[in-house]
Amino acid sequence: MRPTLHRAISWFALPVAMAAGGFSTQAAADDSPALLQKECAACHNLSGPSSPSLQALWARKGPDLFFAGNKYRRDWLEQWLQKPQRIRPAGMFYAANIKPGDKSDVVDESLLQPHLALDKKAAAAAADALMKLKPHDDLIAREKIEAGSISRTMGEMVFDKFAGCLACHLIEPDYGGVSGPELYTAAKRLQPEFIASFIRNPQAWDAKTWMPNKHVSDANIQKLVRYLDVLAKESADAK
């Protein structure tokens, strides 16, 4: 098992962490947009870009969902909402969830709240409503994912040497940083065009993201998208 690398502040805000209340299956069937507003708005921005201030960033309880339809794969959303598993090991704001002491990169999991699990009907209704939120079709349309393959070794070299991603993200369950969401499942949950666009210009999607714009070349963006697909397939095969 490889050692966990230094854990820094994150990029790729990827999990859906909804409010701790309960979804009503009947309400989901009747009016899923209103349901999202009632149950999710307390933790998620559903209406559009908000203040990019540091205060707003630190107060954030869950990732923005107003562009969920541009970001997520619907089948993943529906399945995950029924059996949610933590994607961001240190929560939304890394510094708020680490244990005091000599080691400044140990997550205090007692501070992390579990996500609400939905029944099948409610999860489907929520996923349908989220997939309608597509304000950035223009950014998605600019990306073209080219067919191709990449070896794990080459992918990891591009991933770390040119993008520095391992400081914040796990590429295996115990290898990488924990301040950002895990990336060995990213290709399962995220649309490839979103991945490419977010790498190209994170702030175009989220002005408050910790993810820096690394000015990754078109060629390396394609390699990173392929590499995340390799990681997702390896993760699925390992189960």
Side-chain angles (χ1 to χ4, degrees):
M1 182 178 295
R2 305 188 216 190
T4 301
L5 301 183
H6 173 67
R7 297 161 182 183
I9 301 296
S10 78
W11 64 281
F12 253 157
L14 291 188
V16 183
M18 295 183 181
F23 271 119
S24 162
T25 300
Q26 185 59 46
D30 293 343
D31 192 351
S32 53
L35 179 87
L36 291 183
Q37 187 62 38
K38 177 184 177 183
E39 302 290 351
C40 307
C43 295
H44 298 275
N45 179 1
L46 297 168
S47 59
S50 56
S51 169
S53 69
L54 285 177
Q55 183 178 6
L57 176 61
W58 293 333
R60 188 185 254 181
K61 298 178 181 178
D64 289 349
L65 292 182
F66 67 88
F67 53 84
N70 293 131
K71 178 178 181 179
Y72 296 107
R73 294 179 182 269
R74 190 207 170 281
D75 58 343
W76 176 86
L77 269 178
E78 183 174 353
Q79 294 174 17
W80 190 88
L81 288 169
Q82 295 175 72
K83 295 182 179 180
Q85 297 180 350
R86 192 174 305 284
I87 296 167
R88 184 184 291 272
M92 281 301 298
F93 184 42
Y94 170 75
N97 299 314
I98 58 175
K99 295 179 180 181
D102 294 337
K103 294 183 178 180
S104 60
D105 60 353
V106 178
V107 178
D108 185 348
E109 295 191 4
S110 69
L111 299 176
L112 304 175
Q113 299 299 314
H115 190 285
L116 171 71
L118 311 183
D119 65 32
K120 184 175 181 179
K121 189 173 183 180
D128 285 341
L130 289 169
M131 292 307 296
K132 293 177 182 178
L133 305 180
K134 296 183 177 183
H136 290 318
D137 282 344
D138 56 331
L139 296 178
I140 293 296
R142 296 173 192 171
E143 302 297 335
K144 181 180 179 182
I145 306 303
E146 301 172 0
S149 60
I150 192 170
S151 69
R152 196 174 198 296
T153 300
M154 177 60 70
E156 190 166 327
M157 182 183 73
V158 174
F159 191 77
D160 193 32
K161 181 177 180 180
F162 295 105
C165 313
L166 281 169
C168 300
H169 301 276
L170 295 172
I171 61 171
E172 295 175 8
D174 296 295
Y175 181 49
V178 298
S179 60
E182 66 189 30
L183 291 187
Y184 57 89
T185 59
K188 296 179 183 178
R189 66 181 182 272
L190 303 175
Q191 299 178 36
E193 292 82 7
F194 170 79
I195 295 174
S197 182
F198 196 89
I199 294 172
R200 185 181 306 282
N201 186 0
Q203 286 68 37
W205 290 90
D206 181 1
K208 300 188 296 295
T209 183
W210 294 109
M211 166 73 174
N213 187 335
K214 307 288 283 189
H215 303 287
V216 182
S217 69
D218 288 345
N220 281 334
I221 287 175
Q222 294 293 326
K223 290 175 182 176
L224 288 170
V225 172
R226 293 170 192 159
Y227 177 55
L228 292 178
D229 191 52
V230 168
L231 293 181
K233 291 176 179 176
E234 288 183 354
S235 174
D237 291 342
K239 292 183 177 181

